[in-house]
Amino acid sequence: MVRERYIRQISALREDLLRMFSMVEQQLLRAIRCLETWDSTAAAQIINDDRQIDDAWRALEESVIHVLATQQPVVASDLRLTSVVSAIASELERIGDYANSIAKRVRRASRRAVFIPPPPQIHEMAQLALQMLNTSLEAFLRQDADLARSLTAHDERVDELEDTLRELIIAEARQDPDRFEAALDLLDMVHALERTADRATNIGERVIYLATNSQTTLN
């Protein structure tokens, strides 16, 4: 009976993490759409919904602590799973913060008198970041270390795009000093997307640890 309850608790942790993955994925997707449409109303809703992700993260952390405190001894594989779940949840919470940051910048930029059209590379970067989050989820579901390692190539492309976008945006600001604040908005969005990609690779590292019991660095 005790073991059955323990198995259910471990399963519930995994399911809660998958729900958090879904929440963050939707939040990031909505933020990217805001970036494409400059919809300040949608941006305000994203900012408001960020609290739900924070609440989900705190609840999951409490569940992990409860499992570890009430089920002793914990077998090594389950201990690894609980530590990975907690670490991934923290990464997801940060990605939610980056989506929130993009939404805040969209809302701020939409109120400015001067506007810099986003270079097309920012959309490629956004789609790559979203794809990397999806890949990290799939890798977790399969416990697929090779799939997790594939995130490295995408992360390198994101870094290249970040460098390109910084040059383009700064060049725009130099041509017209009135565009300086608008340029800062775009640069902050680019940074948020780059950090999202980094967090996805961090999740990939946790998946590799879960699948192989070995530490690795992907970025």
Side-chain angles (χ1 to χ4, degrees):
M1 180 68 105
V2 172
R3 182 62 186 174
E4 289 178 0
R5 185 170 68 250
Y6 174 58
I7 292 172
R8 286 197 300 270
Q9 288 176 322
I10 292 292
S11 179
L13 285 180
R14 189 172 183 273
E15 291 171 3
D16 287 346
L17 184 64
L18 294 180
R19 277 192 289 271
M20 192 174 176
F21 256 113
S22 180
M23 292 171 66
V24 172
E25 179 187 23
Q26 287 302 310
Q27 190 81 329
L28 180 59
L29 179 60
R30 292 163 65 199
I32 291 171
R33 285 175 179 164
C34 277
L35 178 54
E36 293 171 347
T37 61
W38 297 96
D39 185 339
S40 60
T41 301
Q45 188 61 52
I46 291 170
I47 295 166
N48 184 66
D49 291 346
D50 182 61
R51 185 179 304 170
Q52 297 176 17
I53 292 175
D54 292 341
D55 290 344
W57 171 55
R58 293 189 187 97
L60 206 156
E61 288 288 293
E62 289 176 4
S63 295
V64 168
I65 292 169
H66 179 74
V67 168
L68 293 176
T70 60
Q71 300 294 336
Q72 297 293 339
V74 181
V75 298
S77 60
D78 290 342
L79 182 60
R80 192 160 66 245
L81 175 62
T82 53
S83 68
V84 166
V85 165
S86 180
I88 291 178
S90 180
E91 300 290 352
L92 290 173
E93 190 274 335
R94 294 300 297 144
I95 292 174
D97 285 346
Y98 297 136
N100 188 37
S101 176
I102 291 171
K104 286 180 177 179
R105 285 292 185 174
V106 166
R107 189 169 65 169
R108 187 179 306 175
S110 67
R111 296 171 178 169
R112 295 194 188 283
V114 180
F115 177 77
I116 296 179
Q121 290 90 341
I122 201 170
H123 301 299
E124 179 185 352
M125 190 180 188
Q127 291 304 315
L128 269 175
L130 182 61
Q131 180 184 343
M132 289 176 69
L133 178 60
N134 292 336
T135 298
S136 70
L137 168 58
E138 190 66 27
F140 174 75
L141 287 171
R142 298 182 190 175
Q143 293 193 27
D144 188 332
D146 288 337
L147 184 59
R149 291 188 185 96
S150 74
L151 289 163
T152 298
H154 295 306
D155 189 54
E156 290 173 354
R157 176 57 181 162
V158 167
D159 290 343
E160 291 173 0
L161 288 167
E162 181 189 24
D163 292 340
T164 299
L165 283 162
R166 284 185 176 278
E167 291 177 5
L168 291 171
I169 294 166
I170 291 171
E172 285 280 348
R174 283 175 175 165
Q175 289 179 8
D176 183 356
D178 290 340
R179 293 183 170 189
F180 179 75
E181 294 294 336
L184 288 180
D185 289 331
L186 282 179
L187 288 172
D188 191 65
M189 293 179 205
V190 168
H191 178 70
L193 291 171
E194 188 273 333
R195 294 302 298 148
T196 295
D198 280 349
R199 296 288 176 174
T201 58
N202 289 350
I203 293 172
E205 291 172 3
R206 301 297 182 177
V207 170
I208 293 171
Y209 172 63
L210 180 62
T212 68
N213 196 25
S214 62
Q215 302 281 359
T216 189
T217 301
L218 295 180
N219 60 9

